[in-house]
Amino acid sequence: MMTRWWWVRHAPTHSTALYGWTDLPGDLSDTVTIHRLEAFLPRDALVVASPLIRASATADAIQRNRQRLPDEPDLKELHFGAWDGLRFDQIVPEDQPLARDFWQCPGDVAPPGGESWNQVGNRVGAAVARLTRENGGRDIIAVAHFGVILAQLQRATGMPPVAAIAFEIGNLSVTCMEFHPCGAWPAGHWRVRFVNHLP
């Protein structure tokens, strides 16, 4: 049975810094957009969220009568390590070349004490595989983060990281992907229905 993932990026934080694991709240004051988003999503879907407050509170705002799964730690944003909470121009000079490589040549490049794009992809992919296996055939609304959604988009399409991070994923946007099983688990394929849709 097909399993559909409805990825929702959390409400905006208005921060200009790299705020991966920094637990900033989201701005949920745009109730018109939030209501439109809630109405667009499937009524009988399960809801799961990253435990970071900007994602978890956004899930609260759109949950309505849907069943909520426990927050999933492996759906947390990229861990920027020593750069977390800093703007790019605040990263120490000796790390500037590494920071440029992190965005321009993503893959195995990681911030000091943080994660690479490939590590994030493996973390998110394992969580998605487990939740798909446990809830096969359901619609799953996952409220998460820019890097998490791009990591799953990369996994679903097989595109390289540098192509995936070129996509825009706006706050309160929806990206929908379907898993179609074929034979014994985990055989199957992914289909991307749409990316960065603003209901």
Short mmCIF file of all heavy atoms in Angstrom, two decimals, residues 150-179:
data_model
loop_
_atom_site.label_atom_id
_atom_site.label_comp_id
_atom_site.label_asym_id
_atom_site.label_seq_id
_atom_site.Cartn_x
_atom_site.Cartn_y
_atom_site.Cartn_z
N LEU A 150 14.88 18.60 2.58
CA LEU A 150 15.77 18.45 1.43
C LEU A 150 16.49 17.11 1.45
O LEU A 150 16.74 16.52 0.39
CB LEU A 150 16.77 19.60 1.39
CG LEU A 150 16.18 20.97 1.05
CD1 LEU A 150 17.29 22.01 0.97
CD2 LEU A 150 15.40 20.93 -0.27
N ALA A 151 16.84 16.64 2.64
CA ALA A 151 17.51 15.34 2.74
C ALA A 151 16.60 14.23 2.22
O ALA A 151 17.04 13.32 1.52
CB ALA A 151 17.90 15.06 4.19
N GLN A 152 15.30 14.31 2.55
CA GLN A 152 14.38 13.28 2.06
C GLN A 152 14.09 13.46 0.57
O GLN A 152 13.91 12.49 -0.16
CB GLN A 152 13.08 13.30 2.87
CG GLN A 152 12.09 12.22 2.48
CD GLN A 152 12.66 10.80 2.57
OE1 GLN A 152 13.60 10.54 3.31
NE2 GLN A 152 12.11 9.90 1.77
N LEU A 153 14.06 14.71 0.10
CA LEU A 153 13.90 14.95 -1.34
C LEU A 153 15.07 14.35 -2.11
O LEU A 153 14.89 13.72 -3.16
CB LEU A 153 13.80 16.45 -1.61
CG LEU A 153 13.61 16.87 -3.06
CD1 LEU A 153 12.30 16.36 -3.63
CD2 LEU A 153 13.68 18.40 -3.18
N GLN A 154 16.26 14.52 -1.59
CA GLN A 154 17.44 13.94 -2.23
C GLN A 154 17.33 12.41 -2.26
O GLN A 154 17.60 11.78 -3.29
CB GLN A 154 18.70 14.34 -1.46
CG GLN A 154 19.97 13.73 -2.02
CD GLN A 154 21.15 13.85 -1.07
OE1 GLN A 154 21.11 14.62 -0.12
NE2 GLN A 154 22.19 13.08 -1.32
N ARG A 155 16.92 11.84 -1.14
CA ARG A 155 16.79 10.38 -1.06
C ARG A 155 15.75 9.87 -2.04
O ARG A 155 15.93 8.85 -2.71
CB ARG A 155 16.41 9.99 0.37
CG ARG A 155 16.17 8.51 0.62
CD ARG A 155 15.73 8.31 2.07
NE ARG A 155 15.36 6.94 2.34
CZ ARG A 155 16.21 6.00 2.73
NH1 ARG A 155 17.49 6.30 2.89
NH2 ARG A 155 15.80 4.77 2.99
N ALA A 156 14.62 10.58 -2.14
CA ALA A 156 13.53 10.13 -3.00
C ALA A 156 13.87 10.20 -4.48
O ALA A 156 13.39 9.39 -5.27
CB ALA A 156 12.28 10.96 -2.71
N THR A 157 14.69 11.17 -4.85
CA THR A 157 14.99 11.38 -6.27
C THR A 157 16.33 10.81 -6.70
O THR A 157 16.56 10.59 -7.89
CB THR A 157 15.00 12.88 -6.59
OG1 THR A 157 16.02 13.51 -5.81
CG2 THR A 157 13.65 13.52 -6.29
N GLY A 158 17.24 10.63 -5.74
CA GLY A 158 18.60 10.19 -6.08
C GLY A 158 19.49 11.30 -6.58
O GLY A 158 20.61 11.06 -7.02
N MET A 159 19.02 12.55 -6.51
CA MET A 159 19.84 13.67 -6.97
C MET A 159 21.00 13.91 -5.99
O MET A 159 20.92 13.53 -4.82
CB MET A 159 19.01 14.95 -7.09
CG MET A 159 18.52 15.54 -5.79
SD MET A 159 17.61 17.10 -5.99
CE MET A 159 16.07 16.53 -6.71
N PRO A 160 22.09 14.52 -6.44
CA PRO A 160 23.20 14.82 -5.53
C PRO A 160 22.81 15.92 -4.54
O PRO A 160 21.90 16.71 -4.80
CB PRO A 160 24.32 15.28 -6.47
CG PRO A 160 23.62 15.75 -7.69
CD PRO A 160 22.38 14.93 -7.82
N PRO A 161 23.50 15.99 -3.39
CA PRO A 161 23.17 17.01 -2.40
C PRO A 161 23.19 18.43 -2.95
O PRO A 161 22.34 19.24 -2.59
CB PRO A 161 24.24 16.82 -1.31
CG PRO A 161 24.68 15.41 -1.45
CD PRO A 161 24.57 15.09 -2.91
N VAL A 162 24.14 18.74 -3.82
CA VAL A 162 24.25 20.11 -4.34
C VAL A 162 23.02 20.50 -5.14
O VAL A 162 22.62 21.67 -5.17
CB VAL A 162 25.54 20.28 -5.17
CG1 VAL A 162 25.47 19.52 -6.49
CG2 VAL A 162 25.85 21.74 -5.39
N ALA A 163 22.37 19.52 -5.77
CA ALA A 163 21.12 19.81 -6.50
C ALA A 163 19.96 19.96 -5.52
O ALA A 163 19.10 20.83 -5.69
CB ALA A 163 20.84 18.70 -7.50
N ALA A 164 19.94 19.13 -4.49
CA ALA A 164 18.82 19.19 -3.53
C ALA A 164 18.78 20.51 -2.80
O ALA A 164 17.70 21.09 -2.60
CB ALA A 164 18.94 18.03 -2.54
N ILE A 165 19.94 21.04 -2.39
CA ILE A 165 19.91 22.26 -1.59
C ILE A 165 19.60 23.50 -2.42
O ILE A 165 19.42 24.58 -1.87
CB ILE A 165 21.21 22.47 -0.79
CG1 ILE A 165 22.40 22.73 -1.71
CG2 ILE A 165 21.47 21.30 0.14
CD1 ILE A 165 23.65 23.16 -0.95
N ALA A 166 19.50 23.34 -3.73
CA ALA A 166 19.09 24.46 -4.58
C ALA A 166 17.58 24.70 -4.51
O ALA A 166 17.12 25.77 -4.92
CB ALA A 166 19.52 24.22 -6.02
N PHE A 167 16.82 23.74 -3.98
CA PHE A 167 15.37 23.90 -3.88
C PHE A 167 15.02 24.84 -2.74
O PHE A 167 15.66 24.83 -1.69
CB PHE A 167 14.70 22.54 -3.64
CG PHE A 167 14.54 21.71 -4.87
CD1 PHE A 167 15.59 20.93 -5.34
CD2 PHE A 167 13.34 21.68 -5.57
CE1 PHE A 167 15.45 20.14 -6.47
CE2 PHE A 167 13.19 20.90 -6.70
CZ PHE A 167 14.25 20.14 -7.16
N GLU A 168 13.99 25.62 -2.97
CA GLU A 168 13.45 26.46 -1.90
C GLU A 168 12.40 25.68 -1.13
O GLU A 168 11.57 24.99 -1.72
CB GLU A 168 12.82 27.73 -2.49
CG GLU A 168 12.26 28.66 -1.44
CD GLU A 168 11.65 29.93 -2.04
OE1 GLU A 168 11.76 30.11 -3.26
OE2 GLU A 168 11.06 30.71 -1.27
N ILE A 169 12.46 25.77 0.19
CA ILE A 169 11.46 25.16 1.06
C ILE A 169 10.99 26.25 2.01
O ILE A 169 11.65 26.56 3.00
CB ILE A 169 12.02 23.95 1.85
CG1 ILE A 169 12.61 22.89 0.91
CG2 ILE A 169 10.93 23.35 2.75
CD1 ILE A 169 11.57 22.17 0.06
N GLY A 170 9.87 26.89 1.69
CA GLY A 170 9.39 28.02 2.47
C GLY A 170 8.73 27.59 3.77
O GLY A 170 8.25 26.46 3.90
N ASN A 171 8.71 28.49 4.73
CA ASN A 171 8.01 28.23 5.98
C ASN A 171 6.53 28.00 5.70
O ASN A 171 5.92 28.69 4.87
CB ASN A 171 8.18 29.39 6.95
CG ASN A 171 9.61 29.54 7.42
OD1 ASN A 171 10.31 30.47 7.03
ND2 ASN A 171 10.06 28.62 8.25
N LEU A 172 5.97 26.98 6.36
CA LEU A 172 4.56 26.58 6.23
C LEU A 172 4.21 26.09 4.82
O LEU A 172 3.05 26.06 4.44
CB LEU A 172 3.62 27.72 6.64
CG LEU A 172 3.80 28.21 8.10
CD1 LEU A 172 2.90 29.40 8.38
CD2 LEU A 172 3.52 27.07 9.08
N SER A 173 5.24 25.67 4.06
CA SER A 173 5.01 25.06 2.76
C SER A 173 4.86 23.55 2.93
O SER A 173 5.23 22.97 3.95
CB SER A 173 6.16 25.36 1.79
OG SER A 173 7.33 24.68 2.19
N VAL A 174 4.33 22.91 1.87
CA VAL A 174 4.12 21.46 1.87
C VAL A 174 4.89 20.84 0.71
O VAL A 174 4.81 21.32 -0.42
CB VAL A 174 2.62 21.11 1.73
CG1 VAL A 174 2.42 19.59 1.82
CG2 VAL A 174 1.79 21.81 2.78
N THR A 175 5.60 19.76 1.00
CA THR A 175 6.28 18.96 0.00
C THR A 175 5.77 17.53 0.15
O THR A 175 5.83 16.97 1.25
CB THR A 175 7.81 19.01 0.19
OG1 THR A 175 8.26 20.36 -0.03
CG2 THR A 175 8.53 18.07 -0.77
N CYS A 176 5.22 16.96 -0.90
CA CYS A 176 4.57 15.65 -0.81
C CYS A 176 5.35 14.60 -1.59
O CYS A 176 5.69 14.80 -2.76
CB CYS A 176 3.14 15.74 -1.33
SG CYS A 176 2.20 14.21 -1.13
N MET A 177 5.63 13.48 -0.92
CA MET A 177 6.32 12.35 -1.54
C MET A 177 5.57 11.07 -1.21
O MET A 177 5.03 10.92 -0.11
CB MET A 177 7.76 12.25 -1.02
CG MET A 177 8.56 13.52 -1.16
SD MET A 177 10.23 13.37 -0.50
CE MET A 177 10.55 15.08 -0.04
N GLU A 178 5.55 10.14 -2.15
CA GLU A 178 4.85 8.87 -1.98
C GLU A 178 5.85 7.72 -2.03
O GLU A 178 6.73 7.70 -2.88
CB GLU A 178 3.84 8.66 -3.11
CG GLU A 178 2.78 9.73 -3.23
CD GLU A 178 1.95 9.56 -4.49
OE1 GLU A 178 2.37 8.78 -5.38
OE2 GLU A 178 0.89 10.20 -4.59
N PHE A 179 5.66 6.76 -1.11
CA PHE A 179 6.44 5.53 -1.17
C PHE A 179 5.54 4.42 -1.70
O PHE A 179 4.48 4.12 -1.13
CB PHE A 179 6.98 5.12 0.20
CG PHE A 179 7.77 3.84 0.16
CD1 PHE A 179 9.04 3.82 -0.40
CD2 PHE A 179 7.23 2.66 0.64
CE1 PHE A 179 9.78 2.64 -0.46
CE2 PHE A 179 7.95 1.47 0.58
CZ PHE A 179 9.22 1.46 0.03
#
